[in-house]
Amino acid sequence: MTSPQTTPATLINLFEVHAGAENDFIEWWERSSKLLSKEPGFLDATLHQNPQSGALFQFINVAHWESAEALDQARAKQKETLQSFSSAKGHPGMYNIVSSYP
């Protein structure tokens, strides 16, 4: 059985972004992700944009880490960068896969 510290972790972060700040947000996300990608345990990350204008969550980030512990350590190390964009509010959550289809 795999221990919780070594279980792969999926971070899903929904973002509310102020109108007109979308391009700046994408640039911030790319800079932040580049830094995080160099941290131990990082596997991958994707940013999805809602095509409907006025949607509550304009962006969703899905990132995979080797463990929740690795993600926590990376967040602590990159805290200043991660909190440097004030025109967005993130709603992060950790998720485990409970079912999948091919």
Side-chain angles (χ1 to χ4, degrees):
M1 181 174 196
T2 305
S3 69
Q5 298 92 296
T6 59
T7 301
T10 300
L11 167 71
I12 299 177
N13 198 349
L14 294 84
F15 288 96
E16 297 177 66
V17 178
H18 296 167
E22 295 87 356
N23 289 335
D24 292 337
F25 174 79
I26 293 169
E27 290 175 12
W28 167 82
W29 186 88
E30 289 173 346
R31 281 192 313 274
S32 298
S33 295
K34 187 173 184 177
L35 286 173
L36 289 170
S37 72
K38 296 176 184 173
E39 296 296 330
F42 176 86
L43 299 174
D44 62 54
T46 56
L47 183 65
H48 305 260
Q49 184 174 14
N50 191 325
Q52 297 179 356
S53 65
L56 177 59
F57 301 115
Q58 297 91 352
F59 295 94
I60 298 175
N61 170 50
V62 179
H64 298 101
W65 289 79
E66 289 179 358
S67 68
E69 182 179 77
L71 172 59
D72 290 343
Q73 290 174 356
R75 282 174 153 172
K77 184 176 178 184
Q78 301 299 338
K79 183 178 181 177
E80 186 176 318
T81 299
L82 294 174
Q83 295 178 348
S84 67
F85 191 77
S86 62
S87 294
K89 179 179 179 185
H91 302 273
M94 297 298 296
Y95 294 86
N96 297 321
I97 296 172
V98 294
S99 183
S100 64
Y101 186 77

